[in-house]
C-alpha cells in the first residue's frame, strides 16, 4: 500500500484517516459516502431531446439521454450484452437502443427488446438506472442505493431580483477533487495566490480566521479591518461565497461551486452565480475557459510562461490559473500524510477533514450519516470588502 491507497477493507473496527478522503470509485469509503448525496453531472442544455450524453463521475460512466417527451433518463453506460457504450446508441421514444446488436432499454434499465434473441431473455435483463433532477441549469444525479435524500435547494440563487443566473459546467481539472474542497475553505490563500486581485478589492489583510460548525457544514469567517468575509461550506462538496465582479457585473456575485470527482485524478467544478449586471448588458451564455486556464497553468508550472504575464484585467483567466497552479502543484493526489505540516491558519482544512472522517467512520460502522440541510431562507454571503 502506498500513501495514496485507502486501507479501508469494510471492517467495522477500521479507523478512518485522512488517507481515505480521495478515493471515490464504487466500493471505496468516500465513494460510498458521496453516493448518498446528489451531484451535478452536466448542464441541462447538454442533453437535447432524442440525444445521449456520456459522463464519468466517481470513476463510473453514465449514459444520459432525453426521450422524445423531454424526460431525462440516466442508465449504466455499458451494454450488458458485449459491453459497448450505450451512449453511442439511438434514443427511440423514451428508450435507448444499443448500437451494436440493437438491445433496447427503458429509462428504468429494463431491457424491452433483443432483436436476435427470445423475449424471455430480454425480460430477464436489467441494467442500473439512476435518478436525475434538473435544477439551476444543471442535471443532478443520485448514484446511491435506495431512496435519495431531498435535493438541496439554494433560495439565494432562485431569487430573480438578485441578478442574472449563470451556470457553468467546467472542463475537468487533472487533480483529485478533495484538493479543490480544501481550497474552498482556505481563506488565507486568497491573500497570496489571489493577492493582486482580491487585495485590490479590499481583502489584502491576513484575516483572523474563525471556523464554526453548523447544521449545513462549516461557516468560515475571515475577520479583517474592512469587514468580515464569510464563506460557507455546504457538506459534502459545495462552497457558497461572494466573489468580486467580472465582466458586466456591477457588484459582488453570489457563487455556489460543487467540486465533483470524475475519477481519482480528475475533478470537475460546477459553478452557478447570481450577479447584478449593468442595465442593457447583452444576455450571453457563460463561457467555460477551463481548457485555456489549465493550459496556461501547466505552462507556468513548466516555466514556459510567467504568472505576472497573465493580465490582471482578465480575472476570468487569472483567478482560476492562480488556483490551478497551487492545486496541480500538490500532485494529482495531494499527500495528506507526513509530508504536510498544518498550522493554525489551516483551521478550515482541519475542520473539514474532521467532519469527513466523522461521517466516513459512520459509513464504516453502518450508522446513518448527517444530511446537512441548507437554511430554507438561504444565506447572506459577505465579501469583507464592504460588499
Ligand atoms: S453489445 Fe449491446 S446489443 Fe450487443
Ligand atoms: Fe482560490
Amino acid at each position: 500500500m502506498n500513501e495514496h491507497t485507502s486501507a479501508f477493507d469494510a471492517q467495522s473496527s477500521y479507523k478512518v484517516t485522512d488517507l481515505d478522503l480521495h478515493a471515490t470509485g464504487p466500493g471505496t469509503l468516500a465513494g460510498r459516502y458521496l453516493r448518498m448525496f446528489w451531484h451535478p453531472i452536466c448542464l441541462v442544455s447538454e442533453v437535447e431531446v432524442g440525444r445521449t450524453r456520456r459522463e464519468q463521475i466517481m470513476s463510473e460512466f453514465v449514459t444520459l439521454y432525453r426521450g422524445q417527451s423531454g424526460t431525462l433518463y440516466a442508465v449504466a453506460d455499458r451494454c450488458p450484452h458485449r459491453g459497448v457504450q450505450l451512449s453511442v446508441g439511438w434514443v427511440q421514444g423514451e428508450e435507448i437502443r444499443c448500437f451494436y446488436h440493437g438491445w433496447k432499454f427503458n429509462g428504468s434499465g429494463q431491457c424491452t427488446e433483443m432483436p436476435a434473441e427470445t423475449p424471455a431473455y430480454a425480460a430477464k435483463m436489467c441494467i442500473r438506472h439512476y435518478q436525475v433532477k434538473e435544477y439551476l441549469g444543471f442535471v443532478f444525479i443520485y448514484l446511491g442505493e435506495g431512496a435519495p435524500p431531498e435535493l438541496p435547494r439554494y433560495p439565494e440563487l432562485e431569487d430573480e431580483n438578485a441578478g442574472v443566473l449563470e451556470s457553468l459546467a467546467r472542463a475537468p481539472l487533472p487533480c483529485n477533487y478533495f484538493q479543490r474542497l480544501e481550497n474552498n475553505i482556505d481563506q488565507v490563500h486568497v491573500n497570496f495566490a489571489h493577492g493582486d486581485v482580491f487585495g485590490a478589492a479590499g481583502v489584502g489583510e491576513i484575516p483572523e480566521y474563525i471556523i464554526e460548525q453548523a447544521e449545513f457544514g462549516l461557516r468560515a469567517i475571515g475577520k479583517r479591518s474592512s469587514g468580515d468575509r464569510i464563506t460557507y461550506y455546504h457538506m459534502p462538496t459545495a462552497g457558497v461565497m461572494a466573489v468580486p465582479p467580472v465582466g458586466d457585473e456591477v457588484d459582488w456575485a453570489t457563487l455556489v461551486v460543487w467540486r465533483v470527482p470524475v475519477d481519482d485524478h480528475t475533478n470537475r467544478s460546477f459553478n452557478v452565480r447570481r450577479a447584478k449586471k449593468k442595465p442593457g448588458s447583452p444576455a450571453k451564455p457563460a463561457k467555460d475557459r477551463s481548457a485555456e486556464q489549465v493550459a496556461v497553468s501547466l505552462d507556468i508550472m513548466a516555466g514556459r510562461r510567467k504568472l505576472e504575464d497573465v493580465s490582471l484585467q482578465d480575472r476570468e483567466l487569472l483567478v482560476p490559473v492562480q488556483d490551478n497552479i497551487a492545486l496541480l502543484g500538490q500532485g494529482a493526489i495531494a499527500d495528506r500524510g507526513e509530508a504536510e505540516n498544518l498550522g493554525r491558519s489551516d483551521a478550515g482544512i482541519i475542520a473539514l477533514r474532521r467532519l469527513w472522517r466523522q461521517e466516513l467512520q459512520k459509513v464504516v460502522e453502518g450508522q446513518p450519516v448527517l444530511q446537512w440541510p441548507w437554511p430554507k431562507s438561504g444565506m447572506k454571503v459577505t465579501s469583507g470588502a464592504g460588499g
Side-chain angles (χ1 to χ4, degrees), residues 224-248:
R224 297 174 170 92
S225 54
S226 57
D228 293 353
R229 174 169 160 82
I230 306 180
T231 60
Y232 303 97
Y233 188 96
H234 187 197
M235 284 285 285
T237 63
V240 182
M241 67 204 83
V243 287
V246 292
D248 293 339

Short mmCIF file of all heavy atoms in Angstrom, two decimals, residues 224-248:
data_model
loop_
_atom_site.label_atom_id
_atom_site.label_comp_id
_atom_site.label_asym_id
_atom_site.label_seq_id
_atom_site.Cartn_x
_atom_site.Cartn_y
_atom_site.Cartn_z
N ARG A 224 -11.37 40.93 9.04
CA ARG A 224 -10.40 41.92 8.58
C ARG A 224 -10.94 43.30 8.96
O ARG A 224 -12.14 43.46 9.21
CB ARG A 224 -10.22 41.83 7.06
CG ARG A 224 -9.66 40.51 6.57
CD ARG A 224 -9.66 40.48 5.04
NE ARG A 224 -8.93 39.34 4.51
CZ ARG A 224 -9.49 38.16 4.20
NH1 ARG A 224 -10.76 37.96 4.41
NH2 ARG A 224 -8.76 37.19 3.70
N SER A 225 -10.04 44.32 8.94
CA SER A 225 -10.49 45.65 9.35
C SER A 225 -11.56 46.19 8.41
O SER A 225 -12.40 47.00 8.78
CB SER A 225 -9.30 46.61 9.44
OG SER A 225 -8.60 46.60 8.21
N SER A 226 -11.56 45.69 7.15
CA SER A 226 -12.56 46.17 6.18
C SER A 226 -13.91 45.50 6.37
O SER A 226 -14.89 45.88 5.74
CB SER A 226 -12.06 45.87 4.76
OG SER A 226 -11.81 44.48 4.63
N GLY A 227 -13.99 44.48 7.23
CA GLY A 227 -15.24 43.76 7.45
C GLY A 227 -14.99 42.26 7.43
O GLY A 227 -13.87 41.82 7.19
N ASP A 228 -16.04 41.50 7.70
CA ASP A 228 -15.89 40.05 7.75
C ASP A 228 -16.19 39.45 6.38
O ASP A 228 -17.21 39.77 5.77
CB ASP A 228 -16.88 39.44 8.75
CG ASP A 228 -16.56 39.84 10.19
OD1 ASP A 228 -15.50 40.47 10.40
OD2 ASP A 228 -17.38 39.54 11.07
N ARG A 229 -15.26 38.61 5.88
CA ARG A 229 -15.59 37.82 4.69
C ARG A 229 -16.07 36.46 5.19
O ARG A 229 -15.32 35.73 5.85
CB ARG A 229 -14.37 37.66 3.79
CG ARG A 229 -14.60 36.73 2.59
CD ARG A 229 -13.45 36.84 1.60
NE ARG A 229 -13.34 35.71 0.71
CZ ARG A 229 -14.06 35.52 -0.39
NH1 ARG A 229 -14.98 36.40 -0.74
NH2 ARG A 229 -13.87 34.46 -1.15
N ILE A 230 -17.34 36.16 4.92
CA ILE A 230 -17.90 34.90 5.39
C ILE A 230 -18.16 33.99 4.20
O ILE A 230 -18.83 34.38 3.24
CB ILE A 230 -19.23 35.12 6.17
CG1 ILE A 230 -19.01 36.14 7.29
CG2 ILE A 230 -19.76 33.81 6.72
CD1 ILE A 230 -20.25 36.43 8.10
N THR A 231 -17.60 32.81 4.25
CA THR A 231 -17.89 31.81 3.22
C THR A 231 -18.48 30.59 3.92
O THR A 231 -18.28 30.39 5.12
CB THR A 231 -16.63 31.42 2.42
OG1 THR A 231 -15.67 30.87 3.32
CG2 THR A 231 -16.03 32.61 1.71
N TYR A 232 -19.22 29.83 3.13
CA TYR A 232 -19.90 28.67 3.70
C TYR A 232 -19.45 27.42 2.98
O TYR A 232 -19.23 27.44 1.77
CB TYR A 232 -21.42 28.81 3.56
CG TYR A 232 -21.93 30.06 4.22
CD1 TYR A 232 -22.16 31.21 3.46
CD2 TYR A 232 -22.16 30.12 5.59
CE1 TYR A 232 -22.61 32.37 4.05
CE2 TYR A 232 -22.61 31.28 6.18
CZ TYR A 232 -22.83 32.41 5.42
OH TYR A 232 -23.25 33.55 6.00
N TYR A 233 -19.32 26.37 3.74
CA TYR A 233 -19.01 25.08 3.15
C TYR A 233 -20.21 24.19 3.38
O TYR A 233 -20.52 23.83 4.52
CB TYR A 233 -17.75 24.49 3.81
CG TYR A 233 -17.31 23.26 3.09
CD1 TYR A 233 -16.32 23.32 2.12
CD2 TYR A 233 -17.97 22.05 3.29
CE1 TYR A 233 -15.97 22.20 1.40
CE2 TYR A 233 -17.63 20.93 2.58
CZ TYR A 233 -16.63 21.01 1.64
OH TYR A 233 -16.28 19.90 0.92
N HIS A 234 -20.91 23.86 2.32
CA HIS A 234 -22.10 23.02 2.44
C HIS A 234 -21.70 21.58 2.15
O HIS A 234 -21.37 21.24 1.01
CB HIS A 234 -23.18 23.51 1.45
CG HIS A 234 -24.48 22.80 1.63
ND1 HIS A 234 -25.47 22.82 0.69
CD2 HIS A 234 -24.95 22.05 2.66
CE1 HIS A 234 -26.49 22.10 1.12
NE2 HIS A 234 -26.19 21.61 2.31
N MET A 235 -21.68 20.76 3.19
CA MET A 235 -21.30 19.35 3.03
C MET A 235 -22.22 18.65 2.04
O MET A 235 -23.42 18.93 2.02
CB MET A 235 -21.35 18.65 4.39
CG MET A 235 -20.20 18.98 5.29
SD MET A 235 -18.67 18.13 4.81
CE MET A 235 -18.97 16.45 5.36
N PRO A 236 -21.72 17.71 1.23
CA PRO A 236 -20.33 17.30 1.29
C PRO A 236 -19.38 18.06 0.34
O PRO A 236 -18.20 18.11 0.61
CB PRO A 236 -20.38 15.82 0.89
CG PRO A 236 -21.57 15.73 -0.03
CD PRO A 236 -22.56 16.76 0.45
N THR A 237 -19.87 18.66 -0.74
CA THR A 237 -18.90 19.17 -1.73
C THR A 237 -19.16 20.58 -2.24
O THR A 237 -18.59 20.96 -3.26
CB THR A 237 -18.85 18.25 -2.98
OG1 THR A 237 -20.14 18.28 -3.59
CG2 THR A 237 -18.44 16.84 -2.65
N ALA A 238 -20.04 21.35 -1.60
CA ALA A 238 -20.39 22.67 -2.16
C ALA A 238 -19.78 23.81 -1.35
O ALA A 238 -19.71 23.75 -0.12
CB ALA A 238 -21.90 22.83 -2.24
N GLY A 239 -19.34 24.84 -2.05
CA GLY A 239 -18.88 26.07 -1.42
C GLY A 239 -19.83 27.20 -1.80
O GLY A 239 -20.30 27.24 -2.95
N VAL A 240 -20.13 28.07 -0.86
CA VAL A 240 -21.04 29.19 -1.12
C VAL A 240 -20.32 30.46 -0.67
O VAL A 240 -19.85 30.54 0.47
CB VAL A 240 -22.36 29.02 -0.32
CG1 VAL A 240 -23.33 30.17 -0.63
CG2 VAL A 240 -23.02 27.68 -0.64
N MET A 241 -20.19 31.42 -1.58
CA MET A 241 -19.37 32.60 -1.25
C MET A 241 -19.72 33.79 -2.11
O MET A 241 -20.45 33.67 -3.10
CB MET A 241 -17.89 32.25 -1.44
CG MET A 241 -17.52 32.01 -2.89
SD MET A 241 -16.05 30.97 -3.08
CE MET A 241 -16.76 29.34 -2.95
N ALA A 242 -19.19 34.96 -1.71
CA ALA A 242 -19.27 36.16 -2.54
C ALA A 242 -17.96 36.28 -3.29
O ALA A 242 -16.89 36.03 -2.74
CB ALA A 242 -19.49 37.38 -1.66
N VAL A 243 -18.05 36.67 -4.56
CA VAL A 243 -16.82 36.86 -5.36
C VAL A 243 -16.88 38.21 -6.06
O VAL A 243 -17.95 38.71 -6.39
CB VAL A 243 -16.63 35.72 -6.38
CG1 VAL A 243 -16.20 34.44 -5.69
CG2 VAL A 243 -17.87 35.48 -7.20
N PRO A 244 -15.70 38.81 -6.32
CA PRO A 244 -15.68 40.14 -6.94
C PRO A 244 -16.31 40.11 -8.34
O PRO A 244 -16.29 39.08 -9.01
CB PRO A 244 -14.19 40.47 -7.04
CG PRO A 244 -13.49 39.52 -6.16
CD PRO A 244 -14.35 38.31 -6.05
N PRO A 245 -16.85 41.26 -8.77
CA PRO A 245 -17.50 41.31 -10.09
C PRO A 245 -16.52 41.07 -11.22
O PRO A 245 -15.35 41.44 -11.14
CB PRO A 245 -18.06 42.73 -10.15
CG PRO A 245 -17.33 43.51 -9.11
CD PRO A 245 -16.88 42.54 -8.07
N VAL A 246 -17.02 40.42 -12.29
CA VAL A 246 -16.25 40.28 -13.54
C VAL A 246 -17.15 40.75 -14.69
O VAL A 246 -18.37 40.79 -14.55
CB VAL A 246 -15.80 38.81 -13.81
CG1 VAL A 246 -14.78 38.36 -12.81
CG2 VAL A 246 -16.99 37.88 -13.83
N GLY A 247 -16.54 41.11 -15.80
CA GLY A 247 -17.30 41.49 -17.00
C GLY A 247 -18.28 42.61 -16.73
O GLY A 247 -17.90 43.68 -16.24
N ASP A 248 -19.55 42.36 -17.06
CA ASP A 248 -20.60 43.38 -16.93
C ASP A 248 -21.19 43.48 -15.53
O ASP A 248 -22.15 44.22 -15.31
CB ASP A 248 -21.77 43.05 -17.88
CG ASP A 248 -21.35 43.18 -19.33
OD1 ASP A 248 -20.35 43.87 -19.59
OD2 ASP A 248 -22.03 42.58 -20.19
#
